[in-house]
Amino acid sequence: MVSEPVVRVVWGATLTLFPDVLLHRLLRTPPGRTGRTAVRALGVRHVLQGAAPTRGLLSPAWRTALDASHAVSMAGLALRSERWRGAALTDLCVACAFTLSSVRGARAGRVGDRHG
């Protein structure tokens, strides 16, 4: 099974390197400067967040908090912006998946700490 940090780094690299493909083909949103910048910034965040646990820089609890807050912000964007609704809903789903993965990782870490 592929680990969550690896999936996150690959996803982040894809967002950073190919923002137009994501915006135009997957989200059907016209790629513009604002969209490209937002997608690339999100991609860089995912790469950094994916690499951080391997260096011991970000605890599972902090990963969970970051992912959950991102999910909440995407829900807000989807509610407020018709133009970005599709992109926000898609990213909301991704953020929720990463949040659940982070919660699972945090729980596994706590269980491992008790038994190890």
Side-chain angles (χ1 to χ4, degrees):
M1 185 161 116
V2 179
S3 70
E4 180 262 332
V6 170
V7 171
R8 188 183 295 274
V9 168
V10 170
W11 175 243
T14 301
L15 294 174
T16 304
L17 297 172
F18 307 107
D20 287 356
V21 171
L22 181 79
L23 288 167
H24 180 65
R25 296 195 187 251
L26 296 179
L27 303 177
R28 307 224 189 300
T29 301
R33 185 179 179 147
T34 301
R36 274 187 211 100
T37 301
V39 169
R40 282 189 172 129
L42 180 60
V44 168
R45 187 205 80 157
H46 278 299
V47 169
L48 293 174
Q49 193 172 340
T54 62
R55 301 283 188 168
L57 300 175
L58 197 59
S59 72
W62 276 106
R63 286 198 317 266
T64 302
L66 288 170
D67 291 328
S69 64
H70 182 69
V72 169
S73 71
M74 289 299 99
L77 181 60
L79 288 171
R80 298 192 52 89
S81 175
E82 188 174 328
R83 177 178 183 210
W84 292 105
R85 187 164 294 138
L89 289 172
T90 300
D91 200 34
L92 171 63
C93 292
V94 172
C96 286
F98 279 128
T99 300
L100 292 174
S101 179
S102 296
V103 167
R104 190 177 59 177
R107 286 184 177 168
R110 283 198 307 263
V111 169
D113 288 344
R114 267 185 278 189
H115 298 293

